[in-house]
Amino acid sequence: MTQTKTKTKTRKRRRISVAGVILVLGIAILMVPVIIFGYLLYDATLGTGTPLFGSRFTNDLDPKITSEQITTVETALDGLANVESATINLKSATVRITVDTADTLIDAAGVQGLTTQVYDSIIATLPIETYFTSDEVKKMYDLEISVYNLKDGKDEANYFYFILVKNANMETWKIQEVSKPLNPELAQELLDKLNAEETENQEG
């Protein structure tokens, strides 16, 4: 009788110990992905705010535009007639040039003509085919030239603003007068409506 009870207890202990081992193994297996995820999350947290070094233009922008070339272009632009100030901003893969003309230049043809002169001055140092034209292998720079004659634009009748764009994927450049609406009738209609609403609000 005593032996039977002892055997029964031994079997129960074995069953409990086997169940315990299985439970521990199951928990351990489940904990592996949790630990890995936790480590990755911790590692990512440590890297927050750390700059990532590298370039998304690997093998592109070849040849690169140098600071010496930028200086040469700036000098050429400053030497153009009717240019009051000129700034060049080379950021990422875009060359942005902003030109403020002399206030005495108060006709659209003059401002537009100066815009093309700026373009010609740039490509004399930075040829379009070399620096502003992409091919099947590499991406090159985009070019944007903004030329305006009055800083505040208050004198709308004599205010002119032109933008010339040559993206690397474009076959040729395009120029647009952005100081005048493309659809004057629609612009005037919207302006009249806005003025009418303002008048009603003031009267009310």
Side-chain angles (χ1 to χ4, degrees):
M1 200 62 182
T2 304
Q3 291 180 351
T4 304
K5 288 182 179 179
T6 303
K7 288 180 181 179
T8 303
K9 288 181 179 178
T10 303
R11 287 175 185 172
K12 286 183 178 179
R13 287 175 183 170
R14 285 178 183 171
R15 287 176 185 171
I16 292 172
S17 62
V18 170
V21 170
I22 293 174
L23 179 63
V24 170
L25 286 176
I27 292 173
I29 291 171
L30 290 174
M31 286 300 293
V32 170
V34 174
I35 292 170
I36 292 173
F37 178 75
Y39 173 77
L40 293 174
L41 188 63
Y42 175 73
D43 188 55
T45 303
L46 289 179
T48 302
T50 304
L52 298 176
F53 296 98
S55 175
R56 62 189 177 98
F57 297 111
T58 303
N59 301 322
D60 294 332
L61 307 182
D62 183 24
K64 294 187 180 300
I65 295 175
T66 65
S67 57
E68 290 79 9
Q69 289 173 315
I70 294 295
T71 301
T72 300
V73 172
E74 286 177 337
T75 302
L77 295 182
D78 288 337
L80 290 177
N82 292 315
V83 171
E84 192 169 288
S85 67
T87 58
I88 300 178
N89 182 12
L90 173 55
K91 188 175 182 180
S92 188
T94 302
V95 179
R96 287 189 173 87
I97 296 159
T98 305
V99 175
D100 179 16
T101 76
D103 291 346
T104 53
L105 196 63
I106 53 173
D107 62 285
V111 178
Q112 182 173 355
L114 182 57
T115 306
T116 56
Q117 288 180 45
V118 171
Y119 173 83
D120 292 337
S121 295
I122 294 165
I123 66 173
T125 301
L126 302 170
I128 286 294
E129 296 78 10
T130 305
Y131 293 96
F132 301 104
T133 304
S134 297
D135 56 32
E136 296 178 355
V137 179
K138 62 185 176 182
K139 168 79 170 69
M140 293 306 292
Y141 296 91
D142 297 330
L143 175 63
E144 181 181 302
I145 303 170
S146 299
V147 180
Y148 59 89
N149 64 336
L150 300 174
K151 289 182 180 180
D152 52 19
K154 290 180 180 178
D155 188 0
E156 294 182 5
N158 295 321
Y159 174 62
F160 302 101
Y161 194 140
F162 285 85
I163 295 180
L164 185 150
V165 175
K166 169 60 175 78
N167 291 334
N169 294 324
M170 294 169 58
E171 292 184 3
T172 186
W173 53 270
K174 291 183 178 179
I175 190 170
Q176 180 182 349
E177 183 182 0
V178 295
S179 53
K180 298 293 185 292
L182 292 176
N183 189 332
E185 293 78 11
L186 177 59
Q188 188 60 49
E189 181 182 338
L190 294 174
L191 185 60
D192 293 341
K193 187 179 294 185
L194 181 62
N195 291 334
E197 290 178 357
E198 289 180 353
T199 302
E200 289 179 2
N201 291 334
Q202 291 175 357
E203 292 176 351

